[in-house]
Amino acid sequence: MHRFYFITDRKKFKKPFLDTIKEALDKGVRLIQIREKDLSDDELYDLTDKVLEVSKGYDAKIFINSRVDIAYMLGLDGVHLTSRSVPVSVVKRKFPDLIVGKSCHSVEDILKAQEEGADYVFISPIFEVEGKGKPIGIEGLKEVLEVAKVPVYALGGINNSNIEEVLKTGVYGIAGIRFFL
Amino acid sequence: MHRFYFITDRKKFKKPFLDTIKEALDKGVRLIQIREKDLSDDELYDLTDKVLEVSKGYDAKIFINSRVDIAYMLGLDGVHLTSRSVPVSVVKRKFPDLIVGKSCHSVEDILKAQEEGADYVFISPIFEVEGKGKPIGIEGLKEVLEVAKVPVYALGGINNSNIEEVLKTGVYGIAGIRFFL
């Protein structure tokens, strides 16, 4: 279960935010990315601090989307960057203790992220997800895994009926929002 | 002229962003805060980098609004925080080399900002500004100056016709967006 990476989206949660985090932890999730883009900095800081509190004793790794400063100030394990974030290479140089992940959507993205020093990558979407562009499919995932030198998490449209074929590719882990709700 | 603190707002600029920055520098402005809240992280990072480039050789201090990570990654002089930002005290502890400013709107705010370790403060609005709440006026500014132990910049509705009475209070500096356009 340590290879499941939970990305938060509180608007989709059925229960209060921290209850959902606790539940994911109790189910065995050990990788959590806080991704709540509409919060102000102070709200995001406070919420992240509470997630740290709730996850104490679980030996989980806590990440935050894009906000390197909040990751560093609260002593999180890492930060997850996207194509709209600050550069991976600069984060790695200036914050050497942070684990840095990067969202990728192609083999080219993966090669670039690795070169810049990303510690892990997401590849998405594997399957059809509304508004997330052309899915790369299982074959596309296999091509990615051939060039990837860092852990790859498959993301996008993965559910109980297709997870088997995703795992069969040998992918390092599975990332998702709805998967753990 | 070093006591004038220019806050950017490119939507109000009449010329291209960097031309406006250059013009402000040529006019003698030595304090600039990049405050472009609608940009994505990568855009903000790139724009800030270009401001650094343009301001080379002017001995100006460059700040950014809220984004401690970008301030640190690009080696800016400091960061300006508001009531919706991460805490001043944590920024001071984790990034001791950054100058940290804080937006204040009352004597209470100033006392709190000082206690948290702010290096300077804004007090606003001095005069009427649409959507910015009740102005504190010249008398309010004087009350603030009596308790302030850090440099205070007066902000809000200051123009050529009222700047004299603001400066007469002995305030450390004047901050503004439109004032330098």
Side-chain angles (χ1 to χ4, degrees):
Chain A
M1 195 63 182
H2 65 290
R3 300 291 181 77
F4 285 85
Y5 187 127
F6 181 33
I7 305 160
T8 76
D9 187 349
R10 71 190 194 290
K11 288 173 181 169
K12 295 193 180 106
F13 288 3
K14 290 159 205 144
K15 297 183 186 174
F17 189 84
L18 294 173
D19 292 352
T20 307
I21 298 290
K22 183 93 171 41
E23 207 170 284
L25 289 163
D26 285 335
K27 281 180 185 166
V29 171
R30 291 295 174 265
L31 297 159
I32 296 174
Q33 177 191 144
I34 299 158
R35 182 178 179 276
E36 303 295 336
K37 297 191 165 199
D38 59 326
L39 294 180
S40 63
D41 291 9
D42 61 327
E43 289 168 336
L44 187 57
Y45 183 92
D46 290 343
L47 187 71
T48 304
D49 202 19
K50 282 177 189 148
V51 170
L52 278 183
E53 198 57 40
V54 164
S55 64
K56 252 183 201 164
Y58 281 95
D59 198 28
K61 290 204 189 309
I62 309 296
F63 298 82
I64 190 168
N65 190 283
S66 291
R67 293 303 299 252
V68 188
D69 42 5
I70 296 179
Y72 180 71
M73 287 164 73
L74 286 172
L76 302 189
D77 297 282
V79 64
H80 187 87
L81 305 177
T82 72
S83 61
R84 311 313 311 263
S85 299
V86 295
V88 170
S89 55
V90 184
V91 178
K92 285 302 296 179
R93 191 168 71 242
K94 292 285 193 170
F95 300 91
D97 293 339
L98 289 179
I99 300 170
V100 178
K102 182 83 191 267
S103 292
C104 295
H105 308 287
S106 66
V107 164
E108 292 68 39
D109 283 356
I110 303 265
L111 294 173
K112 185 162 178 275
Q114 288 181 166
E115 199 185 305
E116 289 185 343
D119 298 299
Y120 74 84
V121 293
F122 283 176
I123 180 79
S124 75
I126 306 301
F127 303 113
E128 195 78 42
V129 181
E130 212 190 307
K132 291 293 185 187
K134 196 167 175 282
I136 66 156
I138 294 293
E139 288 314 308
L141 175 57
K142 283 180 185 165
E143 285 167 30
V144 158
L145 294 177
E146 268 170 39
V147 305
K149 291 172 185 149
V150 294
V152 174
Y153 293 86
L155 168 68
I158 301 168
N159 56 40
N160 283 323
S161 67
N162 60 28
I163 190 167
E164 271 308 311
E165 53 174 336
V166 177
L167 290 174
K168 262 189 206 155
T169 63
V171 72
Y172 186 84
I174 308 279
I177 299 171
R178 288 183 192 75
F179 204 73
F180 308 102
L181 299 183
Chain B
M1 194 63 181
H2 65 288
R3 300 289 182 76
F4 285 85
Y5 187 129
F6 181 32
I7 305 161
T8 76
D9 186 350
R10 71 189 194 291
K11 288 173 183 169
K12 296 193 180 107
F13 288 4
K14 289 157 205 146
K15 297 182 186 175
F17 189 84
L18 294 173
D19 292 353
T20 307
I21 298 290
K22 182 92 173 40
E23 207 170 284
L25 289 163
D26 285 335
K27 280 181 183 165
V29 172
R30 290 296 174 266
L31 297 159
I32 296 173
Q33 177 192 144
I34 299 158
R35 182 178 179 277
E36 304 294 337
K37 297 191 165 196
D38 58 327
L39 294 181
S40 62
D41 291 8
D42 61 327
E43 289 168 335
L44 188 57
Y45 183 91
D46 290 343
L47 187 71
T48 304
D49 201 19
K50 282 177 188 149
V51 169
L52 278 183
E53 198 59 40
V54 164
S55 64
K56 251 183 203 165
Y58 281 95
D59 197 29
K61 290 206 189 308
I62 310 295
F63 298 82
I64 190 168
N65 189 283
S66 292
R67 292 304 300 251
V68 188
D69 42 5
I70 296 180
Y72 180 71
M73 288 165 73
L74 286 172
L76 302 189
D77 297 283
V79 65
H80 187 87
L81 305 176
T82 72
S83 61
R84 310 315 309 264
S85 301
V86 295
V88 170
S89 55
V90 185
V91 177
K92 286 302 297 179
R93 191 168 71 241
K94 293 283 193 171
F95 300 90
D97 292 340
L98 288 178
I99 299 170
V100 178
K102 182 83 191 268
S103 291
C104 295
H105 309 288
S106 65
V107 165
E108 292 68 38
D109 283 356
I110 303 264
L111 294 173
K112 184 162 179 275
Q114 289 181 164
E115 199 185 304
E116 289 184 343
D119 298 298
Y120 73 84
V121 293
F122 283 177
I123 181 78
S124 74
I126 305 300
F127 303 112
E128 195 80 41
V129 181
E130 212 189 309
K132 292 294 185 186
K134 196 167 175 283
I136 66 155
I138 294 292
E139 288 314 307
L141 175 57
K142 285 180 186 165
E143 285 168 29
V144 158
L145 295 177
E146 268 170 39
V147 304
K149 290 173 185 147
V150 295
V152 175
Y153 293 86
L155 168 69
I158 300 168
N159 55 40
N160 283 322
S161 68
N162 60 30
I163 191 167
E164 271 308 310
E165 53 174 335
V166 177
L167 291 174
K168 262 188 208 156
T169 63
V171 71
Y172 187 83
I174 308 279
I177 299 172
R178 288 182 190 78
F179 203 73
F180 307 102
L181 300 183

